[in-house]
Amino acid sequence: MNVTYKGYMCDVSFAQYGNGNNAIQLIGSEGTDYEGELVGVASVNGELKLEDDVVGIKTWSENEGIDQSLIDGGVIEPELLGLEPTGFVAIEHYKLTAASLEEIEKLKEVKS
């Protein structure tokens, strides 16, 4: 999966946090000047254990606008499911798209 974030063409890399919550990083796409480099960490792991099809997105500070990039790239659904307060900010929870869930399942099969 690919997204464009702040003018950077990125590959979406899925993983999981230690508690099983979904994690998303944006990595510079092949053929770009920043190929393979970490462009941004889209997700954040809060205190809550989320459903398998939900991800917490960091939308503050340097990540402003990342939610829209993920929506436009077909990674997350556009509907905000809820907020998880954490300090002075709140983690935004979104449902992953069917395409994202397929990518996550492929990774699980490879690890098995």
Side-chain angles (χ1 to χ4, degrees), residues 20-112:
N21 284 344
N22 293 301
I24 301 174
Q25 292 183 332
L26 303 181
I27 308 297
S29 294
E30 186 177 335
T32 64
D33 291 341
Y34 43 91
E35 178 179 334
E37 294 180 23
L38 179 65
V39 173
V41 179
S43 62
V44 63
N45 193 25
E47 297 291 323
L48 299 177
K49 172 62 178 119
L50 302 177
E51 298 292 323
D52 290 344
D53 63 348
V54 175
V55 64
I57 301 296
K58 179 185 180 219
T59 58
W60 60 90
S61 298
E62 71 279 359
N63 277 30
E64 190 173 322
I66 204 162
D67 52 336
Q68 192 61 54
S69 292
L70 295 171
I71 291 166
D72 293 345
V75 179
I76 59 174
E77 298 290 345
E79 180 183 351
L80 176 64
L81 298 177
L83 299 172
E84 180 181 349
T86 175
F88 295 104
V89 295
I91 300 168
E92 295 185 7
H93 293 168
Y94 289 90
K95 184 173 181 174
L96 292 161
T97 62
S100 292
L101 293 170
E102 285 179 29
E103 291 293 319
I104 291 169
E105 281 304 312
K106 287 179 192 175
L107 288 174
K108 287 179 182 177
E109 290 173 8
V110 169
K111 290 182 180 181
S112 301

